[in-house]
């Protein structure tokens, strides 16, 4: 009969606050349930105890600082997620409910009220429980961050710790970061696009993530420590993407660049635009990129006709080097060029052990040739297409490359006499040597592609294997002493 009175005499006590702001249904049910349990304990003659003075003091501190915790939580969330639009009034209200729950559990023991406060997020689903990339629709991460912050702040209040405000210098630094967030985002995108001109990536997601990182740094500056920055970093692994796999070098470059730019902004260092000549030079290099990549392959094949290498990777790496130089021309210094060189050793694009060991000479010579070509293009000067030409016939290369000491003498003269045929002819920088020669074995060479072996009386070489004579059968050549 008592229960029926709530429905026979409707009032706010039976209205859900989700329907009307004056609804008191949940509070009414809590009161009835509590009085029922209390009556049961009275009937069982259970001894009631009062909370200790320490607990009472802690509860009182929380009550007195309820608004402080609420306001600080709003400030923290707004700082950590400046681009996420949320309902501050509801967030402040719910934080108050959680504080009330914690106070009640302190006084009465257990965690019943805190559990009920948590369950409300699932009994009444909202954007606060939507996971995914933080946004106006997905606010799970900001909600969890707010609850954790309110938890830590409440513990500090209970321990009666003294709060300090950040210095004016820090406030100014934070404000500078906030005011220049868009600038940092755009400049970082421009830098990445310059350093990796053929790199396809999601600029919108990259810009968004940079905003999160800047929020994290600004919050850490305000509150101290590096908690938010660490959390921003761990998000790359909580939510896996290609940014941490095949795009990891570019992601790291973008973060490093935005870090340097943010530091300059905080220190209020003057940022300058590149000179017109620098811009023109960088643009000329980019416009000639395909041509220069092709020249790298053509030069390598001509300078080292018997050289077996991966043309695709050589072509790709030439593009990386060109992008690095173009970026350094625009931004100054040589940071990107050094990074490009280091990539041969750090394995960032796969192992390059063969290139820096067995193919070191060919790689270095091709890069020297490219340096000259890059300089001509960047200065927009006429490019010299042909190198020098040397013609020498009947040259004697006996024991060439054996050295300059007595050990270089032939064995019959007391030396080791070990020649190095690779030291006979060197062609670099586009130069060419046309020659005929003989050596200590009596072998006769016509250029770098054909050799007549004295000992076997055979023709060998790349030129011969590709000629029509190699297809004629029978074909014989008599050599006379």
């Amino acid at each position: 009969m008592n229960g029926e009175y709530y429905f026979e005499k409707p009032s706010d006590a039976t209205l859900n606050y989700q329907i009307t702001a004056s609804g008191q249904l949940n509070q009414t049910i809590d009161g009835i349930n509590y009085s029922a349990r209390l009556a049961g304990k009275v009937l069982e003659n259970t001894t009631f105890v009062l909370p200790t003075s320490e607990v009472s003091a802690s509860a009182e501190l929380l009550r007195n600082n309820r608004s402080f915790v609420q306001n600080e939580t709003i400030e923290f969330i707004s700082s950590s997620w400046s681009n996420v639009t949320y309902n501050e009034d509801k967030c402040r209200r719910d934080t108050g409910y959680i504080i009330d729950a914690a106070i009640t559990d302190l006084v009465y023991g257990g965690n019943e009220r805190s559990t009920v406060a948590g369950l409300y997020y699932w009994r009444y689903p909202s954007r606060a429980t939507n996971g995914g990339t933080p946004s106006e629709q997905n606010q799970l991460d900001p909600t969890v961050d707010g609850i954790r912050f309110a938890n830590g702040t409440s513990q500090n209040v209970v321990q009666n710790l003294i709060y300090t405000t950040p210095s004016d210098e820090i406030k100014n630094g934070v404000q500078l970061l906030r005011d220049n967030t868009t600038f940092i985002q755009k400049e970082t995108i421009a830098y990445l696009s310059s350093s990796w001109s053929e790199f396809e990536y999601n600029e919108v997601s990259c810009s968004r993530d940079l905003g999160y990182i800047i929020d994290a740094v600004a919050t850490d500056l305000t509150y101290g420590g590096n908690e938010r920055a660490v959390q921003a970093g761990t998000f790359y692994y909580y939510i896996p993407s290609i940014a941490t796999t095949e795009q990891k070098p570019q992601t790291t470059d973008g973060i490093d660049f935005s870090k340097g730019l943010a530091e300059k902004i905080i220190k209020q260092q003057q940022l300058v635009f590149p000179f017109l000549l620098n811009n023109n030079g960088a643009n000329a290099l980019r416009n000639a990129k395909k041509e220069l990549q092709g020249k790298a392959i053509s030069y390598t094949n001509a300078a080292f006709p018997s050289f077996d290498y991966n043309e695709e990777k050589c072509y790709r790496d030439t593009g990386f080097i060109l992008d690095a130089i173009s970026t350094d021309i625009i931004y100054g210094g040589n940071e990107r060029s050094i990074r490009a060189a280091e990539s041969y050793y750090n394995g960032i694009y796969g192992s390059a052990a063969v290139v820096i060991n067995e193919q070191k000479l060919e790689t270095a010579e091709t890069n020297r040739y490219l340096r000259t070509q890059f300089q001509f293009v960047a200065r927009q000067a006429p490019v010299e297409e042909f190198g020098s030409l040397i013609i020498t016939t009947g040259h004697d290369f006996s024991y060439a490359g054996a050295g300059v000491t007595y050990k270089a003498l032939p064995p019959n003269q007391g030396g080791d006499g070990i020649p190095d045929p690779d030291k006979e002819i060197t062609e670099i920088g586009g130069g060419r040597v046309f020659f005929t020669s003989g050596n200590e074995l009596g072998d006769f060479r016509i250029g770098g592609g054909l050799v007549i072996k004295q000992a076997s009386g055979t023709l060998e070489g790349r030129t011969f294997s590709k000629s029509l004579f190699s297809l004629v059968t029978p074909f014989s050549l008599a050599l006379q002493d």
Side-chain angles (χ1 to χ4, degrees), residues 16-200:
N16 194 323
Y17 83 98
Q18 293 287 334
I19 299 175
T20 175
S22 61
Q24 300 174 5
L25 177 61
N26 293 306
Q27 292 84 347
T28 302
I29 292 174
D30 279 343
I32 293 172
N33 287 335
Y34 177 75
S35 62
R37 294 196 302 273
L38 188 61
K41 291 181 179 180
V42 169
L43 290 172
E44 294 170 357
N45 203 23
T46 301
T47 301
F48 281 79
V49 293
L50 295 175
T52 64
S53 57
E54 184 180 14
V55 168
S56 296
S58 297
E60 189 63 22
L61 281 169
L62 273 181
R63 288 193 188 95
N64 293 338
N65 288 279
R66 186 176 188 269
S67 295
F68 171 75
V69 176
Q70 288 173 298
N71 293 333
E72 284 297 308
T73 301
I74 296 300
E75 288 293 328
F76 179 81
I77 294 174
S78 298
S79 176
S80 301
W81 305 97
S82 65
N83 292 320
V84 176
T85 302
Y86 68 103
N87 190 317
E88 292 188 9
D89 291 335
K90 288 186 177 180
C91 179
R92 183 179 285 102
R93 176 203 67 191
D94 292 346
T95 302
Y97 290 157
I98 294 171
I99 295 170
D100 288 342
I103 293 172
T104 304
D105 285 338
L106 264 177
V107 174
Y108 291 88
N111 63 355
E112 175 190 322
R113 297 307 304 169
S114 299
T115 300
V116 170
L119 288 173
Y120 266 93
Y121 283 101
W122 278 266
R123 288 176 180 169
Y124 303 100
S126 68
R127 297 173 182 176
T129 55
N130 287 342
T133 302
S135 64
E136 186 175 358
Q137 295 297 322
N138 305 322
Q139 298 179 9
L140 178 60
D141 290 312
T143 300
V144 173
D145 281 344
I147 292 172
R148 286 175 176 161
F149 179 81
N151 170 28
T153 305
S154 297
Q155 291 185 38
N156 291 341
V157 167
V158 167
Q159 295 175 57
N160 208 20
L161 298 180
I162 297 175
Y163 272 76
T164 57
T165 57
S167 65
D168 290 339
E169 185 179 22
I170 290 176
K171 287 180 180 178
N172 290 336
V174 170
Q175 193 59 47
L176 284 168
L177 270 182
R178 298 286 188 201
D179 293 342
N180 289 279
T181 295
T182 302
F183 171 74
I184 295 173
Q185 289 171 307
K186 290 183 177 179
E187 281 298 306
T188 302
I189 296 298
Y191 176 81
L192 284 176
S193 298
S194 174
S195 301
W196 310 93
S197 62
E198 296 183 24
F199 173 52
E200 294 183 3

Side-chain angles (χ1 to χ4, degrees), residues 124-286:
Y124 303 100
S126 68
R127 297 173 182 176
T129 55
N130 287 342
T133 302
S135 64
E136 186 175 358
Q137 295 297 322
N138 305 322
Q139 298 179 9
L140 178 60
D141 290 312
T143 300
V144 173
D145 281 344
I147 292 172
R148 286 175 176 161
F149 179 81
N151 170 28
T153 305
S154 297
Q155 291 185 38
N156 291 341
V157 167
V158 167
Q159 295 175 57
N160 208 20
L161 298 180
I162 297 175
Y163 272 76
T164 57
T165 57
S167 65
D168 290 339
E169 185 179 22
I170 290 176
K171 287 180 180 178
N172 290 336
V174 170
Q175 193 59 47
L176 284 168
L177 270 182
R178 298 286 188 201
D179 293 342
N180 289 279
T181 295
T182 302
F183 171 74
I184 295 173
Q185 289 171 307
K186 290 183 177 179
E187 281 298 306
T188 302
I189 296 298
Y191 176 81
L192 284 176
S193 298
S194 174
S195 301
W196 310 93
S197 62
E198 296 183 24
F199 173 52
E200 294 183 3
Y201 66 106
N202 190 322
E203 292 187 7
V204 175
S205 295
C206 178
S207 181
R208 177 203 66 197
D209 292 345
L210 275 173
Y212 292 155
I213 293 171
I214 295 169
D215 280 345
V217 172
T219 303
D220 282 340
L221 272 174
T222 302
Y223 292 88
N226 63 353
E227 176 188 324
R228 298 303 303 171
V230 170
Q231 186 165 356
T234 55
F235 263 100
Y236 282 102
Y237 300 90
Y238 287 154
I239 308 174
S241 69
I242 57 175
T244 54
T245 52
E246 55 260 43
Q247 294 182 0
K248 187 174 182 179
Q250 292 83 358
T251 302
T252 304
D253 277 345
I255 293 173
D256 286 342
F257 176 79
S258 60
K259 171 192 172 186
L261 187 57
E263 288 177 347
K264 290 179 180 179
I265 288 172
I266 290 176
K267 294 176 182 178
Q268 300 186 58
Q269 294 179 359
Q270 183 67 41
L271 300 178
V272 296
F273 289 102
F275 293 114
L276 179 61
L277 285 176
N278 292 49
N279 264 331
N280 291 341
N283 289 333
L285 275 178
R286 291 196 184 99

Side-chain angles (χ1 to χ4, degrees), residues 449-460:
L450 179 64
V451 58
I452 302 175
K453 293 285 188 179
Q454 168 72 13
S456 61
T458 59
L459 291 173
E460 296 180 7

Side-chain angles (χ1 to χ4, degrees), residues 341-360:
E342 288 176 342
S343 67
Y344 283 103
Y345 298 89
N346 58 26
I348 197 169
Y349 307 112
S351 175
V354 175
V355 175
I356 60 178
N357 292 302
E358 291 89 340
Q359 300 177 357
K360 186 175 182 179

